[in-house]
Amino acid sequence: MASRNQRRSTDGEAQAMSSGHDPRGNDSDSLDEERILSGLETRWLGRDLLLFDRIVSTNELASSLARKGSRGSVILAESQTGGRGRLSRSWESPPGGIWMSLILEPDIPLALAYQINMAVCLAACRAISSLLGLKAGIKWPNDILIGGRKVGGILMEIQANGERLEYAVVGVGINANIDPSPFPGEWMATSLSQEMGSSICRTALIQRILLEMERAYESMGSEEIYDEWRQRSVTLGRMVRISARSGEVVGEVVDLARDGALMLRINGDLMRVLEGDCIHLRGLERK
Ligand code: BT5
């Protein structure tokens, strides 16, 4: 295992950082395990932190570590070559972003697994809002938006044994100091540096996200988390189109259920939607 102040290459082999030189020429923003740990206020989350220069996917490594019994660890990478989104989609992960995965072992039934996603989305929004003063909202089910543009996403992958949740790997991708202009326009992507007009301190944001995650995780399923998640929702009250494996529906989002389901009104009838892709349509725009 690499010692602190060293970075790991994709295959896990430690690479000593050359005396403070950052090839991207931005020393103040380069990530360093010791610096992150020294200002980390969590009690347990992120105490076992692994930082890589380049990796295929932090979720992929976290899943393989989880299978070997690792819990509570956080995997971070400067860039990913095969970053993953939901449903086998890819996630662009150039240097300058925050690409990290957490291995959690919540004591909740499988049916309540969405509460983890809820807590993590909320924690990311709280951290961005409190540290940077930006208004971050949650687009159902897992997108973090600023001003209607996607600044980040959450990818939760779970392992269950019957009705019991064995572990959850939660991937958090945040476009921190990156230029989103090369991304296709239809992604409606933004980044924190673009919104702020200058680079942000990723170390401080990672520390704050981990702290907010530990707090939200410990009060998972509470009224407070549920209420704030609804308040931060930019989907509630909207006309949406949901594409799911079972087909496509269009309706108005009249509520968000405690298990994470969307309550849609379609031609006067109520319908629960638990999974799928959500497109916000025009009209009935509350936020
Ligand atoms: C997500 O998926 O939004 C979850 C993304 C999770 C990424 C993190 S990074 C750390 C960890 N390790 C991983 O390998 N993954 C996690 P989804 O809702 O499926 O959105 C994916 C879609 O967003 C793509 O199909 C593109 O349309 C768009 N997209 C890809 N990269 C993007 C980016 N950097 N910023 C904004 N949109 C992006």
Side-chain angles (χ1 to χ4, degrees):
M1 180 127 311
S3 65
R4 301 291 178 217
N5 263 348
Q6 289 179 320
R7 291 216 195 175
R8 295 162 179 83
S9 61
T10 313
D11 58 6
E13 179 192 314
Q15 287 179 330
M17 282 175 73
S18 54
S19 56
H21 173 69
D22 180 345
R24 282 173 297 118
N26 185 359
D27 284 341
S28 62
D29 188 46
S30 65
L31 296 180
D32 174 78
E33 286 174 34
E34 223 166 57
R35 201 152 7 117
I36 295 172
L37 286 171
S38 70
L40 191 62
E41 292 176 44
T42 59
R43 280 186 293 107
W44 54 271
L45 187 60
R47 293 286 151 194
D48 178 26
L49 188 76
L50 302 177
L51 171 63
F52 293 81
D53 262 339
R54 212 154 70 106
I55 199 171
V56 175
S57 151
T58 55
N59 258 43
E60 184 185 83
L61 179 66
S63 296
S64 84
L65 292 176
R67 280 194 292 276
K68 292 177 195 147
S70 175
R71 301 289 184 265
S73 316
V74 173
I75 324 291
L76 263 166
E78 284 282 6
S79 66
Q80 301 183 114
T81 52
R84 318 206 282 232
R86 292 180 306 136
L87 309 167
S88 311
R89 287 187 289 238
S90 63
W91 181 260
E92 286 296 319
S93 319
I98 294 176
W99 322 124
M100 74 176 169
S101 298
L102 295 79
I103 306 171
L104 301 170
E105 190 178 22
D107 186 18
I108 55 172
L110 182 58
L112 296 182
Y114 189 82
Q115 285 181 355
I116 309 167
N117 191 62
M118 207 182 272
V120 173
C121 284
L122 191 56
C125 286
R126 279 178 176 173
I128 291 170
S129 300
S130 64
L131 203 68
L132 304 174
L134 294 169
K135 195 172 171 208
I138 302 167
K139 174 171 172 273
W140 187 91
N142 68 327
D143 289 349
I144 310 295
L145 303 194
I146 295 177
R149 295 187 162 266
K150 184 159 172 168
V151 75
I154 309 295
L155 173 66
M156 187 172 76
E157 298 178 296
I158 53 177
Q159 178 66 38
N161 186 353
E163 285 307 298
R164 205 178 70 81
L165 195 61
E166 277 187 15
Y167 61 80
V169 167
V170 184
V172 180
I174 310 237
N175 297 335
N177 295 330
I178 69 169
D179 172 12
S181 61
F183 297 162
E186 63 268 23
W187 288 7
M188 297 278 289
T190 188
S191 69
L192 296 175
S193 55
Q194 178 163 292
E195 296 296 326
M196 297 295 289
S198 63
S199 294
I200 62 120
C201 176
R202 286 185 300 162
T203 301
L205 186 58
I206 290 165
Q207 290 164 341
R208 185 66 68 90
I209 290 174
L210 290 173
L211 181 63
E212 292 293 355
M213 274 185 195
E214 187 178 272
R215 286 181 180 153
Y217 182 74
E218 288 179 349
S219 49
M220 210 163 59
S222 68
E223 206 62 40
E224 181 204 353
I225 295 283
Y226 173 62
D227 284 349
E228 197 181 330
W229 176 70
R230 287 174 93 259
Q231 278 164 25
R232 293 241 183 217
S233 172
V234 293
T235 303
L236 190 56
R238 301 286 293 253
M239 281 301 290
V240 297
R241 183 188 310 124
I242 305 291
S243 310
R245 275 170 291 204
S246 50
E248 213 173 76
V249 288
V250 173
E252 181 194 352
V253 181
V254 290
D255 206 357
L256 295 166
R258 293 192 72 101
D259 61 357
L262 278 187
M263 303 304 295
L264 280 189
R265 186 184 294 129
I266 305 169
N267 300 327
D269 293 329
L270 272 188
M271 181 181 179
R272 264 171 64 82
V273 178
L274 257 170
E275 52 105 26
D277 273 327
C278 173
I279 295 168
H280 287 174
L281 304 173
R282 288 179 193 283
L284 284 174
E285 295 190 358
R286 199 177 57 116
K287 292 177 186 175

